[in-house]
Amino acid sequence: MSLVETDDVEGGESISLHRRILSDIREKILSGAWAPGHRIPFEHELTAEYKCSRMTVNKALSQLAKAGLIERRRRSGSFVRQPQSQAAVLELHDIRIEVEALGLPYRYERLERLKRRSSAEDRSLLGLAVPGPVLWLESLHFAGERPFALEQRLINLSAVAEAAGEEFLEIAPGPWLIGRVPWSEAEHRIRAMAADDTIADALDIDPGAPCLVVERRTWSAEHPVTHVRFIYPAESHTLVARFTPSQG
């Protein structure tokens, strides 16, 4: 009888410490205090810090690894993983949802806003036949403290006149447009590129680092609405497409 009671008490303490270790490490990762690549203290160091068994520490680290927050390397220790997002290729998704699905706090920052008459390049990107007013926006999306994606967007003001009066300081242009303009057609292009100095500086990566670029055009009742380019550090993003057999 006494052995069972002792085991219950020790099990309760183990569960409490297990949750505390999980919570402490998770908070440091999600707050950005421990950036991707940071080495987690070794198991024996955590055992000494929390005054618990190595089994309790191992269980907590295993759970963090299963959740995708850390990577355990044999003989090297455990390290904070670079968050990786999976996005469906053919969906118009909100980056906020991508980031929050990773368990990270989301933040948006507008970098540049410029209203102008469309250039030849603007008309080519939007598919416009004649010159007209456009709005150029450049923004950053953050996952925790790290830049997650750089957004470069053109909006056709002839199709969405009310965008001319929106500063886009509090809301990203993507969800703003989805909430106001019913789109009838979309086109995606996906490619790889090496980060130039400007992109590398914005995304806090090395110049020449591989990036994934997703470009999208949308139309509403045959009128071009927007062209947007999302640039992601390649190591942090995966595109997913699901298909069914065609009937032929």
Side-chain angles (χ1 to χ4, degrees):
M1 182 69 173
S2 62
L3 286 175
V4 174
E5 290 175 349
T6 301
D7 287 343
D8 285 344
V9 171
E10 290 177 353
E13 290 177 349
S14 176
I15 292 171
S16 177
L17 283 168
H18 164 251
R19 288 175 178 166
R20 182 179 161 201
I21 295 167
L22 271 176
S23 177
D24 288 353
I25 295 178
R26 185 176 184 275
E27 182 180 351
K28 288 175 181 176
I29 293 172
L30 298 186
S31 69
W34 287 357
H38 177 88
R39 183 181 66 77
I40 308 296
F42 287 114
E43 285 190 15
H44 70 271
E45 295 173 323
L46 291 170
T47 297
E49 179 182 350
Y50 288 92
K51 298 181 175 58
C52 64
S53 71
R54 194 154 186 169
M55 182 181 298
T56 298
V57 170
N58 185 275
K59 182 180 177 183
L61 294 179
S62 295
Q63 191 167 339
L64 288 163
K66 187 176 181 180
L69 291 176
I70 69 172
E71 176 185 3
R72 307 189 75 181
R73 303 175 191 167
R74 190 175 180 183
R75 298 182 181 178
S76 299
S78 300
F79 298 82
V80 178
R81 284 191 63 181
Q82 176 72 40
Q84 187 172 80
S85 169
Q86 293 188 345
V89 175
L90 302 180
E91 293 181 1
L92 301 190
H93 56 275
D94 187 344
I95 289 184
R96 174 191 288 274
I97 296 173
E98 281 188 67
V99 171
E100 292 179 347
L102 297 171
L104 296 171
Y106 169 81
R107 181 167 65 86
Y108 158 80
E109 179 182 330
R110 194 203 75 189
L111 302 179
E112 186 177 353
R113 179 185 181 278
L114 178 64
K115 188 166 63 174
R116 67 191 183 208
R117 187 169 178 80
S118 61
S119 65
E121 182 181 2
D122 294 339
R123 293 192 293 277
S124 175
L125 290 173
L126 284 166
L128 294 173
V130 296
V134 297
L135 184 66
W136 160 259
L137 295 159
E138 188 168 56
S139 313
L140 261 180
H141 301 265
F142 290 82
E145 297 300 315
R146 297 282 303 171
F148 182 75
L150 177 66
E151 175 181 339
Q152 298 171 333
R153 183 183 294 267
L154 275 170
I155 298 176
N156 176 18
L157 293 178
S158 296
V160 196
E162 59 267 39
E166 176 62 49
E167 291 295 323
F168 296 103
L169 291 172
E170 303 298 329
I171 184 171
W176 186 91
L177 284 167
I178 289 172
R180 286 165 176 78
V181 184
W183 63 276
S184 56
E185 187 178 352
E187 172 190 271
H188 283 81
R189 294 178 183 270
I190 303 161
R191 60 187 174 89
M193 69 173 291
D196 60 23
D197 290 343
T198 301
I199 291 171
D201 183 60
L203 292 175
D204 193 20
I205 57 178
D206 294 329
C211 293
L212 180 69
V213 182
V214 179
E215 293 188 73
R216 179 194 305 146
R217 282 196 293 179
T218 57
W219 291 262
S220 179
E222 300 184 356
H223 298 292
V225 173
T226 187
H227 173 278
V228 61
R229 182 183 294 120
F230 295 108
I231 305 173
Y232 301 85
E235 64 180 8
S236 70
H237 203 73
T238 300
L239 290 173
V240 178
R242 187 171 181 174
F243 301 90
T244 57
S246 59
Q247 302 298 319

